Amino acid sequence: RLRGMSANEVAQNWSGSEVALTLARSAGHLPLVDVVASSSAALGGGRLNRLFASVTGNCMNTASWVSSALRGASYRNAAARLDVADSLGPSKTTHAVKLLAEDSIQAFIDGGYLDNTGVAWAVGSGATEVLAVVNNPTTPGDNLIDLFAGAPPAIGFPPIGMLTSQIFAESVKHFHKAYSDFPRLQIPTDARFLK
């Protein structure tokens, strides 16, 4: 049961931005190297930590930048707009922000900061049944348990930590009970391979 939201409302919360919709519509045209860079922006959350951001400054861009440009031009357009905004210098900050806002320029960081399982993304896209194969589903920070009511809102701190999203109304305690009731594989001690 979703936490007081319809599947459509969850989908809007998770993927309703103009950029997300543009990327979905342009999926077959996006450059693979840029998509992989977004998926691997594991230090991208460092931009949320003032100390990390001040240490890296402009020396290292830990996020992947996208825009609302169509037909696979999202990454290329974002890079061009960022270059123009950067060239304006500190005295033109307001103009630079307006320039970036025109094309909905935003940073992408590794999805693991929110959901390593893909369950929330699947539910947000409208799935009502999801099969997730995960390790350590009851360990906070391994994400599945973090989708249930009562999970802490954040674990650790950027760039190492993650934000949690409790999309399910059932409690963490309910999840533990349901998980403990799952049948377990009984693997013989002398087995070398699963058959």
Side-chain angles (χ1 to χ4, degrees):
R1 187 171 60 116
L2 300 177
R3 241 176 107 164
M5 294 183 277
S6 69
N8 287 338
E9 289 171 318
V10 172
Q12 288 173 345
N13 286 339
W14 277 85
S15 60
S17 77
E18 182 180 343
V19 170
L21 295 173
T22 298
L23 292 175
R25 290 182 187 124
S26 302
H29 303 282
L30 296 170
L32 182 61
V33 68
D34 292 328
V35 173
V36 171
S38 293
S39 171
S40 300
L43 291 177
R47 303 307 287 174
L48 303 175
N49 179 289
R50 287 185 180 177
L51 176 61
F52 184 84
S54 67
V55 169
T56 59
N58 288 330
C59 300
M60 176 173 59
N61 192 349
T62 57
S64 176
W65 294 86
V66 294
S67 75
S68 58
L70 294 172
R71 292 181 210 86
S74 180
Y75 290 93
R76 185 174 55 253
N77 182 60
R81 288 288 188 154
L82 284 165
D83 287 344
V84 170
D86 191 43
S87 71
L88 295 174
S91 64
K92 303 283 188 183
T93 303
T94 303
H95 181 64
V97 169
K98 286 179 182 176
L99 180 74
L100 298 177
E102 286 174 5
D103 286 335
S104 303
I105 306 293
Q106 60 185 278
F108 269 9
I109 60 174
D110 192 304
Y113 283 105
L114 296 174
D115 176 24
N116 269 327
T117 66
V119 170
W121 295 102
V123 170
S125 296
T128 57
E129 292 186 31
V130 178
L131 171 64
V133 179
V134 296
N135 293 324
N136 306 318
T138 60
T139 304
D142 285 340
N143 298 118
L144 189 58
I145 196 168
D146 303 320
L147 300 176
F148 290 84
I155 297 170
F157 63 93
I160 308 300
M162 64 172 281
L163 303 173
T164 63
S165 298
Q166 297 85 43
I167 65 166
F168 297 115
E170 289 79 10
S171 69
V172 168
K173 184 177 179 180
H174 175 85
F175 172 79
H176 272 287
K177 169 76 173 98
Y179 178 75
S180 68
D181 291 344
F182 282 166
R184 302 283 189 252
L185 291 175
Q186 300 301 321
I187 302 172
T189 56
D190 62 338
R192 295 185 59 207
F193 305 101
L194 290 176
K195 295 181 182 179

